[in-house]
Amino acid sequence: MTEIRTARLNERGRQVLARAMRFRHLGWGFADQALSSLSNFGVSLAAARTSTATEYGAFSIAFATYVIGVGVVRALVSDVYAVRYAEHDGRASRSYPAASGAWGAAVAISLAGTAACLIGAVLASGPLQSSLLVGAVGLPVLVVHDVGRYLCITRSDAFGAMLLDATWVGTFGLALVATTVTSGFPGAIPTLALWVGGAACGVVVGFLRVRAVPGLRAGLRFMRGVWRFSARYMIDWVALGASVQLGYYVLGAV
């Protein structure tokens, strides 16, 4: 009888622990989403407050390129990874299978966006040229950061995802304050560069957290293995999201 009671108590203890872990995971996940939104809102607000209309239009085009690039990578890489490698027991995993391949695929895809930005920069001039150059350099960094968040969230490591975004927001905020104090308001394009720099710091934290780095060969293998699934996600994204994002280009041009 005593053994039965002990077994029941142990089972209840495991259930309570599992619930506590789920609530903790949700809390870190909420913090991560809040920081991610704060990062996007913060750079847009800072750019709008410190630039002319022409500079902000150039910033909007570069930012729209980032949004589209992230959307494509999520459709082709992140969403498929989340389906294939999701951790279902709610416990944060210390393993991140195929992380190098997912990151490598993200880098390979982002290079197409980088090439487009460089071509646009050659044809453009003034603030638009500068913003496209920043976008060309920053796009691989930004998509790798976003994939890193998905790697952590997929493996129930919401704290890790929050850590990446907290590093991004914190370093960008400190750099923006330091630049403003020493040299005055930086303007839209330098603000965008500082934002990319903050994302790069988050990427370093992601590499240390996941204990992996992008591998282009692993990325190609990853893409070949998931193509039949990612193509469907890509079609869905084009149908639902691409038209909205392309509107930002019109806004930036106006």
Side-chain angles (χ1 to χ4, degrees):
M1 192 68 177
T2 303
E3 294 178 355
I4 295 176
R5 290 179 179 175
T6 302
R8 289 178 178 175
L9 289 174
N10 290 338
E11 180 63 26
R12 290 177 182 175
R14 285 193 292 268
Q15 291 177 356
V16 171
L17 180 61
R19 290 173 184 172
M21 293 181 67
R22 281 196 293 268
F23 278 117
R24 185 177 65 177
H25 178 72
L26 289 173
W28 290 126
F30 177 80
D32 169 59
Q33 292 296 330
L35 287 169
S36 180
S37 299
L38 177 62
S39 173
N40 293 342
F41 175 75
V43 68
S44 299
L45 179 62
R49 297 283 294 178
T50 61
S51 63
T52 64
T54 301
E55 291 173 340
Y56 190 72
F59 163 85
S60 297
I61 291 176
F63 190 81
T65 303
Y66 149 72
V67 173
I68 291 175
V70 167
V72 171
V73 170
R74 284 182 180 177
L76 296 178
V77 179
S78 302
D79 290 341
V80 181
Y81 186 92
V83 172
R84 294 194 65 178
Y85 299 107
E87 191 68 63
H88 297 293
D89 61 3
R91 299 179 181 179
S93 176
R94 293 181 180 270
S95 65
Y96 302 83
S100 180
W103 266 330
V107 171
I109 295 169
S110 68
L111 291 179
T114 293
C117 287
L118 290 175
I119 293 172
V122 171
L123 299 176
S125 61
L128 180 57
Q129 184 181 58
S130 300
S131 69
L132 289 175
L133 288 175
V134 174
V137 175
L139 187 58
V141 175
L142 296 168
V143 298
V144 166
H145 184 280
D146 190 72
V147 171
R149 290 180 60 243
Y150 267 76
L151 293 177
C152 292
I153 293 171
T154 298
R155 304 301 291 169
S156 295
D157 185 15
F159 175 77
M162 185 279 300
L163 197 60
L164 266 69
D165 278 333
T167 303
W168 187 3
V169 172
T171 53
F172 167 60
L174 290 174
L176 186 62
V177 170
T179 302
T180 302
V181 170
T182 57
S183 306
F185 292 124
I189 311 305
T191 297
L192 181 63
L194 294 175
W195 187 62
V196 171
C201 294
V203 166
V204 174
V205 172
F207 290 165
L208 296 174
R209 183 75 178 181
V210 178
R211 298 179 181 178
V213 294
L216 291 180
R217 289 185 179 179
L220 293 176
R221 289 195 299 270
F222 180 89
M223 289 298 297
R224 284 198 297 266
V226 302
W227 175 250
R228 59 174 179 162
F229 303 106
S230 58
R232 299 174 185 175
Y233 286 112
M234 186 64 188
I235 293 172
D236 290 342
W237 181 81
V238 170
L240 298 176
S243 59
V244 176
Q245 304 308 331
L246 289 175
Y248 286 109
Y249 282 110
V250 178
L251 176 63
V254 171

